[in-house]
Amino acid sequence: MDGFGVTFAFWILAAVTLVAGSGVMVSRNLLHAVLFLILAFVGVAGFFVLLSAEFIAMAQVIIYVGAIAVLVLFAVLLTPRASRDNSETVWALPGMLLAVCLAAIFLFVVHDTQWKTMTDAPLLTTQDLGRSLLGTWVLPFEIASVLLTAALVGAIMLTRSAEEEAEDALA
Amino acid sequence: MTGVIKSEPFVINIGPQHPSTHGVFRIRATVDGEKVIDAEMVMGYLHRSMEKLAEERTYTQNIPFTDRTDYLSSMSNNLGYCLAAEKLAGIEVPARGDAIRVIMAELQRLASHCMAVGAFANDTGAWQTPIMWTLREREKILDIFEVTSGARLTCNYMRIGGVAFDLRPPFEPMVRKVLTELPPVIEEIEQLLSGNEIFVSRTRGIGVLSPELATNASLSGPMLRGSGIAWDIRKADPYCGYDQYDFDIPIGYRGDSYDRFIVRLEEMRQSVKIVEQALDGLPSGPFCTEVPLALRPPKGEAYARIESPRGELGYYLVSDEGPSPYRFHIRPPSFINLSALKEMTVGGTVADAIVVLGSIDIVVGEIDR
Amino acid sequence: MMPFLATDKWYDLRDLANISSAILDGADRILPFGLVYVLAALIGFVASFLIFVLPSQLFVGVYGERKLIGRIQSRYGPNRVGPFGLLQPIADTIKLLQKEVLTPTRSDRLVMYIAPIFFVAPAVLLFAVIPFGPNMVFADIPVSLMYFLAISSLPVLANFMAGWSANNKYSLFGAIRIVAMTISYETPLVMSLLGAVVITSTLSLQGMVLWADEYKIWLAFVQPLALVIYFICVSAELNRTPTDIAEAESEIVAGYLTEYSGMKWGLFYGMDIGYAIAASAFAATVFLGGWTLFGLEKWVPPWMIFIGKTHLFYALFIWTRGTLPRLRSDQLMAFAWKYLLPLALFNLFIVVTERMIWSEEGYDKAYIYLFAIFNILVSGLLVFAWARFNGYRPDDVPMRPRLVKEARGYVPLGENE
């Protein structure tokens, strides 16, 4: 994709995502951090659209924003208030050190790789995606579904109250 | 696995401002998540010390007080008080007075149940549609009251020895109109709600009242009848000539809110029957015996009870030969009915507590007097 | 391209894309580089939102709904303000604008200000992909159905933010319930729409409308179960009765909207209706055939047909709101997981089998009609059978109480008179 609009959109999205990402780290209030995280997710979805992968972009919004962010919000909500702020910890310095090292590795890789540029984006439709998911990659797909089912059953088991367990024990 | 996730109970106040029309009444509910663990009632927001004030006024002057205790069924309140005073003073009521009293009491029962059924449907969330339909019918009954006694809500119509005024000409056609137009509306409410799966799942099995608890807590009215106990003071201890009319007592199956709802609907149908019979056989003659203005009944005490729309309404009068009663006590059905609220709400959710409160059909004016 | 009476002239209102393309072409020559995008966005906003949605919202949503519910309740709706009460929505807006907006001091002000914005923005965004006519789509992306699903998962966050920022234990409680309910109903929603996708083999809304035009049948007949499940799920997502544990007094715990007053509340309320219009527009596109009407769209402007269908679907929302009581929140979630989700899966199973048969027969047109008849019958059966399996016994519920003649105390069950 080419053109002024694409470049403009790219820079705007980059700025928004980076600001949101740093907002997650910097904000003191945990809920504000989660909201910045949602913004970062939406920014990444925008990047997918720029790469002509609209299906993945929509899937990103549905899954990350619609489900995972809600999960994080529930977790933030239901934990006791004492640990609800992003305050200074002793791990700040090691964290920054780790971040600097990771950034160095990424920059090195980005600089050193011979990136192949394509003139035309291969037009992958959703049909191709579906065919490959259920054809070539069917085993990981099915394993992921089994994993999700196990997680669902585990969540239900964890939250059963005493009476329901007793009820089931006799049945 | 259990006990891993802790939850703490917290206390919420249901009331004193209710979303639905029950009045100022408070329940302090201890809630664990959604389940109610404990419910404590706080009453007294509407206390107006009627019983004490009545000791300063003559017997006839106390009749407006009784209007305002259960403001949704003032005719029944008047009736109970007049019966108690007549028992105390040994006064006979003429046949026409009795028949008019029966018509008025049953019309009042219709109006009160219209309100009760509508407010109950409102509590379950049916966005005001059933209450609009029933209130439209109630307006016709209130117009009848206005024509006869001059007031819609606090009628002050019964007097010791009969009724205050005779029936005026527009009375009979208006009552006939109500008798023809009300049963179809009851049918509509039944169609809309009793068969509705959502309504049934909101009310069936909610607030179950066992017959033993109902008898032991001395409940009365539709609460008692909903649990399957056939007890109606109009049949068991007839007054005002109720034994000449032919009607049935509706009783429920299990004592849940749904049973109380259908019992109330059926009572409306039976009231229509009674009014028809009373109106058809209305005797002529005097409507009130002559009673001195400052009645001085002989020393003694009297307790008279009637079947008000909410249950057994009793009046206890003690006289010391003065113009005012020495002691005036009301046995309010709503107050006694509320004693079972805790057993009915504990174990359910907060939403169920609201539905149960709606099905008990309280009027705070008579709880607090 | 289909025979279509609208021409390419800019003044031909039967195809509004003419005007917008004329404006954009002209602007491209005049404006500096890049500003035409801004103008395109502005035109899209004006055309879709200000011309279509906002009047729909005000007149059908606020005025029409109140009038219709009033008539259901045997009373007139608003009829004082203006002729037949038509200026009522304007009066409401003016009242809300001049109301004092109270924000509690201990609340989180930033989040409280952002929550209405977060609620309004997706409603506006949803109209970007809905086709009003053959050329009248603002953004004809090939995955517009997924776009709709993605955007409709955003208001949940706004509800949660609104409940949390009030710093009030009870609105938080209410907000959690709403979020739990909304995410429970998203799953059957997606499953039911998958059925529609399988038959039409396209994810874009314009593609679905063209499919309905090609096969001359609405998806509502081929997939009646999907339509019913969609209707229930979307009315749960929109917090409308019978599933409105959010907006109506949330039983006693005051809902997540307590601390909002004035226009902030007005935005929540208005966008509630805006979402309902968007969901109706979506249903009209996918299930009711969009802007086609078996060939009538040659004479009647297609956007009129489309708007008519949207409002028809919205009237269904108003109807259920006026009649049905509210479900308790745990009953709601049990309904979604135990009843709707398996039903949607059955539907998916049936439609996938049908698609397989259809592809083996070489995509013959007659098969779709057979499938439609079969699906309607099977859906009815399935709904009742699954309900009975789940414990729905309507004959067990007595409609009338027992009647006895004398007062004799306790009458046990089974004994009568």
Side-chain angles (χ1 to χ4, degrees), chain C residues 176-197:
Chain C
I176 299 182
R177 290 206 303 184
I178 303 315
V179 173
M181 185 191 83
T182 319
I183 59 179
S184 326
Y185 275 90
E186 269 179 24
T187 320
L189 180 69
V190 175
M191 292 281 167
S192 69
L193 285 174
L194 271 181
V197 171

Side-chain angles (χ1 to χ4, degrees), chain B residues 98-341:
Chain B
D98 261 343
I100 297 179
R101 278 181 170 185
V102 163
I103 297 177
M104 285 305 168
E106 292 307 314
L107 281 176
Q108 185 70 75
R109 186 185 314 272
L110 282 174
S112 172
H113 277 330
C114 277
M115 187 74 192
V117 157
F120 181 61
N122 220 12
D123 281 340
T124 59
W127 266 93
Q128 277 110 26
T129 305
I131 200 175
M132 287 288 161
W133 295 348
T134 54
L135 284 185
R136 195 185 51 194
E137 302 307 313
R138 184 172 173 258
E139 284 298 309
K140 298 180 188 151
I141 301 179
L142 293 184
D143 284 341
I144 298 177
F145 287 163
E146 188 177 5
V147 160
T148 3
S149 67
R152 283 156 47 100
L153 198 66
T154 53
C155 295
N156 188 16
Y157 183 57
M158 315 272 177
R159 295 280 180 271
I160 305 177
V163 293
F165 317 106
D166 203 355
L167 301 174
R168 305 234 175 85
F171 180 76
E172 178 152 350
M174 287 171 89
V175 176
R176 296 271 177 214
K177 188 154 173 272
V178 168
L179 292 178
T180 41
E181 289 181 1
L182 186 58
V185 175
I186 307 179
E187 290 290 322
E188 269 182 18
I189 300 280
E190 205 176 51
Q191 257 182 353
L192 182 68
L193 290 177
S194 305
N196 189 340
E197 169 69 12
I198 298 180
F199 184 77
V200 165
S201 63
R202 271 313 284 280
T203 53
R204 204 154 150 75
I206 307 293
V208 177
L209 187 65
S210 63
E212 295 80 35
L213 179 63
T215 346
N216 290 344
S218 67
L219 303 183
S220 50
M223 293 200 70
L224 199 62
R225 292 194 276 279
S227 300
I229 303 179
W231 179 257
D232 189 332
I233 298 178
R234 297 174 287 173
K235 290 261 192 204
D237 193 7
Y239 52 95
C240 279
Y242 263 107
D243 35 6
Q244 358 165 331
Y245 305 115
D246 169 45
F247 61 99
D248 300 316
I249 308 175
I251 55 175
Y253 301 87
R254 294 195 300 182
D256 50 27
S257 311
Y258 180 73
D259 281 334
R260 295 193 272 272
F261 174 74
I262 54 177
V263 160
R264 286 201 178 96
L265 281 182
E266 186 62 34
E267 276 184 15
M268 287 170 78
R269 289 196 189 96
Q270 299 296 324
S271 292
V272 167
K273 240 162 87 171
I274 301 179
V275 174
E276 251 175 38
Q277 293 169 35
L279 201 57
D280 287 337
L282 193 63
S284 51
F287 54 87
C288 187
T289 51
E290 282 297 321
V291 160
L293 200 57
L295 179 70
R296 284 171 191 268
K299 264 205 170 74
E301 58 186 28
Y303 177 74
R305 53 186 183 165
I306 62 161
E307 180 80 20
S308 92
R310 281 164 189 82
E312 171 182 334
L313 176 62
Y315 282 87
Y316 176 65
L317 282 171
V318 175
S319 140
D320 61 345
E321 281 205 29
S324 341
Y326 179 71
R327 174 81 176 103
F328 166 68
H329 176 70
I330 309 175
R331 183 240 189 245
S334 305
F335 183 63
I336 311 286
N337 286 350
L338 273 184
S339 52
L341 182 68

